[in-house]
Amino acid sequence: MSEQLQKKRHTLAHLLGAAVLQNYPQAKLTLGPAIDNGFYYDFDFSGGPTLGDDGLKEVQKSMKKLLNSWTDFSHREVSIEEAREIYQDNQYKLELVNEIAARGEVITLYTVGSFTDLCRGGHCEHPNKDIDTNAFKLDKIAGAYWRGDDKNPMLSRVYGLAFDTGAELDAYLYQIEEAKKRDHRKLGKEMDLFTFSDMVGAGLPLWTPKGTIIRHQLDTYIWELREKHDYQRVTIPHITKKDLYVTSGHWDKFADELFRIQTREGKEYALKPMNCPHHTQIFDRHPHSYRDMPQRYAETTMVYRDEQSGELGGLTRVLSITQDDSHVFCRHNQVKAEFFRIWDIVDTFYGTFGFNLRVRLSFHEPTEFEKYLGTPEIWANAETSLREIAQARNADYFEAPGEAAMYGPKLDFMAKDSLGREHQVATIQLDMNLPERFDLTCINEKGEKERIVMIHCAIMGSIERFSAVLIEHLAGNFPLWLAPEQVRIVPVTDAHNEYATEVYSLLKEAKLRVVLDDASESMGKKIRAAKTEKLPYFIVIGDQEVSDRTVTLEKRDGTKEVLDLMNLTTKLTAEVHQRGL
Ligand SMILES: [Zn+2]
Ligand SMILES: [Zn+2]
């Protein structure tokens, strides 16, 4: 937030306080800061009538009216005695006054128009000129404890939205409205992609046939990209003896999140919370010459983490997480090239959906080197490599010292979606820890054992979280290659069934996911259904089509095209193949 916008929002909090006081003279003012999208003020209405949602309009009107008289702020310092006198009937302000005094700071009162408030400053110079009355709006009221402590009285928090211009406010309101419509939990249900069962439990999504098609298509795409870079698929069990996690450190580190299993013989097992420890054991099955390096293993598989049930919701927080995981086992001098390859995959994959990526280079904090594993030289080399890659790729990147993992630096990708929201997606992590713990080596040119490093990367992060982001980014309008049902064919009457079946068979033959809808419903109903299900294409077959041996292909956006059968299959298969948006 710019300093100027911060000042506007802060000033508006005062304006809200003044307007509430005008309409509710018994209200007690407490605290009112600027926040990310505007401002709020907490009020105690216990001494008189309470402001409810239906009163917000009136208060907002008062704010706009009062603003005309808010030409400039003046302030004066007051003694603690005077401040206590002024706020003798307001225990909240009194508490603040005493705290300011205890810190040895001066107490200042700011006055604008006929309104005075305890404050340390930071306002617009000329509120009536600086603040656009169309650029703010009261939003909602919520309960909030004084100073966030549930032992304190419950106050009413009035929220306002505020931006520099009315256009920015409108854009924000549109984004919020649109985000509600696109909520993946809502669309997932409407489009029949996944479901939850009380008997299975919260946080354990069950993927329907349609949702499974999407998962499978996403994963197939990732695998195609990986295959070009010589990854190999591996497969591991979903459980392990305790020993593996004691060695990896997860038995302690993941203690709370680990699902533990006890066998009938009393042995301790666990469900895997991650795949790396298992994969190290595949790498370590026999010695590797430097000529075999790197080894690149990929596997799409579920991991399980015990989260508190209050934190579960939709696909963003789940207990069963599908990772499109990969581990590259390589030498230090191969790190740069391997990061480059993975970055290629990330760029291609996210570019396909029109996400804009920003990259955070998560580096170590030089003043606290003792926190990290490895030598300063290794870190310097690794971080220099990452910076060089970012520069070579002309990436939109920034460096974040102190954000590295204890065991190595990271590249974190942030994707901006179609509503301008940023999501953390893929992470490429360099790991010098697990190779140490599992004593992973290769035999180098001199015939000596050489410590290797690991690179972890899941391109989608998790399929669950990525699906949630993607559903909302696309508003459920999946491109043809991803859509569970790609084309629906609707004959107008039974007389058109024969030709409709012919078209259906042809598309089915071409491996398209096609449905023939010859149920005896009205056309209107069928067309509405196709709209809710957000089908990419829809074909209505009537007399004209039968006699011309053509089809009219209607796209989701309503555009129509008449094609003969040959051109129909060519067009659709080409579109699938290109993975266009
Ligand atoms: Zn102030
Ligand atoms: Zn890993």
Side-chain angles (χ1 to χ4, degrees), residues 276 325 327 456:
C276 352
D325 211 359
H327 294 105
H456 311 250

Side-chain angles (χ1 to χ4, degrees), residues 37-92:
N37 57 6
F39 56 93
Y40 71 75
Y41 212 119
D42 286 348
F43 302 94
D44 179 351
F45 289 108
S46 63
T50 302
L51 167 63
D53 286 323
D54 46 359
L56 282 183
K57 262 213 170 89
E58 208 49 48
V59 172
Q60 180 169 309
K61 224 187 258 169
S62 305
M63 285 174 75
K64 296 193 176 181
K65 219 161 155 192
L66 275 174
L67 183 59
N68 291 322
S69 64
W70 281 30
T71 50
D72 41 35
F73 274 90
S74 62
H75 72 281
R76 66 185 182 98
E77 287 178 19
V78 291
S79 65
I80 172 129
E81 291 76 22
E82 193 182 342
R84 281 182 184 144
E85 168 82 24
I86 293 170
Y87 291 114
Q88 55 181 320
D89 295 327
N90 184 329
Q91 71 269 34
Y92 309 100

Side-chain angles (χ1 to χ4, degrees), residues 274-277 323 325-327 429 431 434 454-457:
M274 42 179 41
N275 306 306
C276 352
Q323 293 183 332
D325 211 359
S326 71
H327 294 105
Q429 256 178 321
D431 180 357
L434 285 185
M454 278 173 81
I455 299 168
H456 311 250
C457 182

